[in-house]
Amino acid sequence: MTRTATRITTATQAVTVTSNTPVVTEWAVRYFGPWWNATSTTTDGPRVIADVNQAKVTEIAQCVADHAHEETVYANSRIFVDRDDDGTVLASQPDDKLVYRAEPGGALRIYGCEDVPVALAAARLAREVLRGQLVADGWSILHASAVVRDGQTVLTLGDKGAGKTTAGLLLACAGWQLLANDRVFVRREDDQLRVLPWPSAAAIGLGLLDALGWYDQVRERLQRGEQLHPTQHQKVTDALHSGSRTPLWKDSGKELKPQFFPDQLATWLGLTLATEGHAARILFPQITPGAEPVLRDEDRAVAAGDFFTAGTEDRYPDVFGLLPADLPGTEPLLELLGELPRHAMLLGHDVKANTDFLQQIAA
């Protein structure tokens, strides 16, 4: 059986994904290529092996079920995890028909029944392997969107719904390069803060998609048979096909949003993506309907709670033990972030007014 491989690199770290189906490795090139460097390769020594193999799914799922195991949620799906005394981890996600085997110091193996779920899992786990490598090398993860111009990065922080994504996309539409939609890797290097992207599907609400003038072109592409990221909820797909621009919400209060592949940010929306930068300015927006853009009299600063840690990570807990035991402290980063110009601001729903204001502040 012919196997294919994709090597993914960022900074000085790398991981190779191999598979018995090219869908998996082609997916990795598409998913990581725009932000990290992902290329087809024949390099040996993969860290993630992701195969379509129904027999392995049945075998490992049964093994997990037969032993005492813990249950948690990983990437919005329940996962059952069995840990052996030697450190080997077996795991099963029955709703996705996926299973995993991770041995200390060895490859992380993923098996599934269909190629797309396996490709999704391989991309997530490749990023988790690199996350562990980057964290071990002194990088931390900051909850922020980011745009870059001439290597200078504007970080946008705030609580959920504050406007991180909106501010980043408005500046990206105005000619800045989009570095990240929701979170970034940061590390102090000399007296600067180096910033790397966190590759992921980009979630853009229906209302924002309409306000930025992208709704009709996205809908037209879908009607021609093109597809957005498969993690998108079916209700969102149906709304786009029907022409509805009304925001959709879960019972929990979380908005359901269109989900874009990283490369679609460029090919569908016309944005330019950046691969890294150095932090130069921090924005703290707050969107209020009907408001005029204005600076707020508030000295908001980056805090420890703005970083993702093993204890606060909500979507990707360290199920497979890929993070180092000693995580880097945030104190040196907070000190450097505290020295950067920062602005708390109020934004409304007027796209042009918001954009003009953001450009003036970010310049």
Side-chain angles (χ1 to χ4, degrees), residues 94-144:
D95 298 336
D96 302 318
K97 298 181 180 178
L98 292 168
V99 297
Y100 308 83
R101 180 182 181 89
E103 300 177 2
L108 176 57
R109 298 176 183 270
I110 306 165
Y111 300 105
C113 299
E114 298 178 359
D115 51 15
V116 169
V118 173
L120 279 166
R124 283 194 296 264
L125 268 297
R127 187 180 59 202
E128 291 303 288
V129 170
L130 277 167
R131 174 172 73 145
Q133 293 174 350
L134 288 168
V135 169
D137 199 26
W139 293 85
S140 296
I141 303 171
L142 184 63
H143 193 187

Side-chain angles (χ1 to χ4, degrees), residues 309-331:
T309 66
T312 61
E313 174 62 72
D314 54 349
R315 283 182 285 177
Y316 312 105
D318 188 26
V319 171
F320 302 101
L322 300 172
L323 290 176
D326 297 323
L327 300 180
T330 60
E331 291 81 6

Side-chain angles (χ1 to χ4, degrees), residues 3-38:
R3 301 190 65 83
T4 57
T6 293
R7 186 168 178 81
I8 305 156
T9 59
T10 185
T12 59
Q13 306 303 322
V15 61
T16 301
V17 176
T18 71
S19 180
N20 62 358
T21 173
V23 170
V24 173
T25 48
E26 290 168 1
W27 191 290
V29 170
R30 181 182 187 188
Y31 196 85
F32 292 104
W35 269 316
W36 290 353
N37 181 30

